[in-house]
Amino acid sequence: MERLQKVIANSGFCSRRKAEEFIKEGKVKVNGKVITELGTKVEYSDDIMVNNTHITKEEQKVYYLLNKPRGVISTTSDDKNRKSIVDLINTDKRIYPIGRLDYDTTGLIILTNDGELANILMHPKNECSKTYVAKLEGILSKEDILAIKKGIVIDNRKVDIVNFKVRKKDMLKNTTLVEITINEGRNHIVKRLFSSLKHEVIKLTRTSYSFLTLDGLKSGDYRNLSIKEVKKLYSLKK
Ligand code: URA
């Protein structure tokens, strides 16, 4: 439910102040009935007329950047009834994540109700890069690194790797910390890539999504994207 003047303003019909005037003047009908009380709550599905003209309503678009914690799923529902990332965001809009992160993966994920933007960001031709930091079981060999640089094929398709760095080799713990930037969003792609080299991913975090980073966001925290950021994401469309 949303305030009537806000729904009218969001439709682009007029400003919110003008909408308030129309309401007070008795020029607004909701489902055929004149409404003169400011702030009356309406549904986006209600039939709204201003000056005998139907307004075309669109639900306000919202965009959140979440630092996903471990142990929550990134689909909106789950047959095992596990907690979903959508439950972490305080909104009455029907939002969904753009792409997925595994249950045990942490880091940056965008949630929205803007299907158009979701399509743009998920379409491979728009090459939206994602950077992950992964802790691997074992020490990556020179041959492994060479293989990554040459290109790894998963399910008959080369993984589109943009950048790869070894950050740390921990000989005592027998682990390697790597940073990898890829231009694709196939399911479990980072885990599958390293598993093809016989290195299990023990820990995985997405640290950036295109130009967006986790700066200032603790695990479980989220923030709204700015209009400028949303426009910049739209501009990734080729
Ligand atoms: N690749 C994976 O293997 N898991 C994720 O959650 C994201 C990318």
Side-chain angles (χ1 to χ4, degrees):
M1 299 285 272
E2 198 82 86
R3 291 157 76 86
L4 180 54
Q5 58 267 42
K6 190 171 172 193
V7 174
I8 297 171
N10 283 348
S11 78
F13 187 89
C14 59
S15 68
R16 193 180 300 197
R17 187 172 300 166
K18 192 78 202 155
E20 288 173 355
E21 280 174 26
F22 282 136
I23 295 169
K24 283 193 270 184
E25 290 164 6
K27 290 180 177 160
V28 176
K29 283 185 192 162
V30 178
N31 301 326
K33 202 172 137 215
V34 174
I35 299 287
T36 52
E37 196 180 327
L38 286 180
T40 300
K41 295 277 177 97
V42 293
E43 301 273 6
Y44 271 85
S45 54
D46 283 332
D47 173 40
I48 300 172
M49 284 176 99
V50 183
N51 274 342
N52 290 322
T53 305
H54 283 281
I55 62 161
T56 43
K57 296 165 267 95
E58 211 177 290
E59 191 173 33
Q60 190 195 2
K61 298 285 184 271
V62 289
Y63 308 87
Y64 300 98
L65 188 165
L66 169 73
N67 185 351
K68 177 190 174 297
R70 274 169 98 93
V72 283
I73 54 152
S74 59
T75 44
T76 45
S77 66
D78 177 45
D79 50 8
K80 294 189 199 131
N81 246 336
R82 291 174 297 185
K83 193 169 174 174
S84 155
I85 49 171
V86 172
D87 303 327
L88 301 176
I89 310 254
N90 184 14
T91 178
D92 56 359
K93 304 274 189 301
R94 283 167 58 92
I95 54 168
Y96 44 85
I98 300 186
R100 286 193 190 163
L101 289 179
D102 295 334
Y103 187 66
D104 57 352
T105 300
T106 59
L108 201 161
I109 190 156
I110 299 171
L111 296 105
T112 185
N113 55 355
D114 184 345
E116 191 185 346
L117 182 66
N119 284 338
I120 291 172
L121 297 182
M122 289 202 287
H123 200 293
K125 87 166 181 222
N126 294 323
E127 296 187 329
C128 176
S129 67
K130 294 127 195 140
T131 299
Y132 297 87
V133 172
K135 192 195 254 185
L136 311 176
E137 182 79 58
I139 303 295
L140 269 195
S141 66
K142 276 196 191 123
E143 290 74 30
D144 290 330
I145 296 168
L146 209 64
I148 293 167
K149 300 242 151 109
K150 270 176 74 185
I152 305 271
V153 174
I154 308 271
D155 290 342
N156 301 318
R157 186 147 57 88
K158 214 172 180 177
V159 182
D160 189 357
I161 301 174
V162 183
N163 205 3
F164 177 76
K165 266 191 266 189
V166 174
R167 277 209 189 165
K168 189 178 171 189
K169 289 181 180 174
D170 190 328
M171 301 300 178
L172 278 178
K173 293 194 178 131
N174 193 34
T175 57
T176 309
L177 195 67
V178 297
E179 186 180 295
I180 184 164
T181 303
I182 53 176
N183 263 349
E184 59 163 278
R186 278 186 274 169
N187 269 352
H188 316 301
I189 193 66
V190 176
K191 291 177 184 167
R192 287 159 75 200
L193 188 149
F194 289 107
S195 133
S196 76
L197 298 168
K198 308 277 179 294
H199 290 279
E200 192 199 335
V201 172
I202 316 168
K203 237 177 164 182
L204 186 60
T205 303
R206 182 152 70 194
T207 53
S208 72
Y209 191 99
S210 188
F211 59 90
L212 297 167
T213 68
L214 287 170
D215 276 0
L217 280 185
K218 291 194 287 251
S219 175
D221 282 357
Y222 64 90
R223 68 169 176 89
N224 289 94
L225 292 184
S226 69
I227 295 172
K228 214 168 151 191
E229 287 170 329
V230 172
K231 282 193 177 154
K232 212 164 159 190
L233 289 174
Y234 261 97
S235 74
L236 294 176
K237 185 174 178 188
K238 286 195 173 143

